[in-house]
Amino acid sequence: MIAEKDPYIKSAYDHLQVISQDKQKRLEYEAREKAIRDHNQFLFEAEQRGIEQGKKQGIEQGKCERRREDIRRILEKGKSVEQIVDFCGYDRAEVEAVRGNWQQ
């Protein structure tokens, strides 16, 4: 057996034997282990929610950048703010902001 060859493993094995004989200590150990698993699961789920939120924000930023690029290209074709708002349905303030940045 490995426990007989390695003093650290033997010590841990002996400690496990003592704990497993004492019902109260075993229950405390199991409660600690459950708390650790619960904490790790909580962290994992929080990370997953963060990743999903980041993806959604990235997609929204991409859409916004694409819309502004479209507005800039339409302005370069000589269309007015009014035409862009009417045709594309974009927000007037956004079109005005893109036009202001584009003209500078």
Side-chain angles (χ1 to χ4, degrees):
M1 178 181 217
I2 296 176
E4 295 169 355
K5 296 178 182 177
D6 188 328
Y8 295 109
I9 294 177
K10 179 166 179 20
S11 173
Y13 180 76
D14 291 342
H15 185 68
L16 178 64
Q17 292 299 319
V18 171
I19 288 175
S20 62
Q21 291 175 4
D22 183 346
K23 184 176 181 178
Q24 181 62 34
K25 286 184 180 180
R26 188 176 68 246
L27 291 174
E28 289 172 2
Y29 168 79
E30 289 172 358
R32 281 192 308 272
E33 288 298 309
K34 182 183 181 315
I36 290 169
R37 284 192 307 271
D38 289 348
H39 178 72
N40 289 340
Q41 184 64 29
F42 171 78
L43 291 177
F44 174 77
E45 290 173 5
E47 181 180 20
Q48 293 303 309
R49 284 191 307 269
I51 290 169
E52 284 302 312
Q53 185 178 18
K55 286 179 183 178
K56 288 178 184 176
Q57 287 176 349
I59 289 169
E60 190 58 38
Q61 286 176 345
K63 288 178 182 178
C64 184
E65 288 299 316
R66 173 61 191 250
R67 197 169 50 246
R68 289 179 181 194
E69 181 63 24
D70 289 346
I71 292 169
R72 187 189 59 75
R73 283 196 334 263
I74 296 168
L75 287 168
E76 287 176 350
K77 300 278 186 191
K79 302 298 180 190
S80 70
V81 170
E82 198 61 44
Q83 289 173 318
I84 295 171
V85 170
D86 288 343
F87 183 72
C88 299
Y90 294 147
D91 182 60
R92 176 179 295 284
E94 183 178 22
V95 176
E96 292 283 352
V98 172
R99 184 180 73 172
N101 290 338
W102 174 64
Q103 290 178 339
Q104 291 177 0

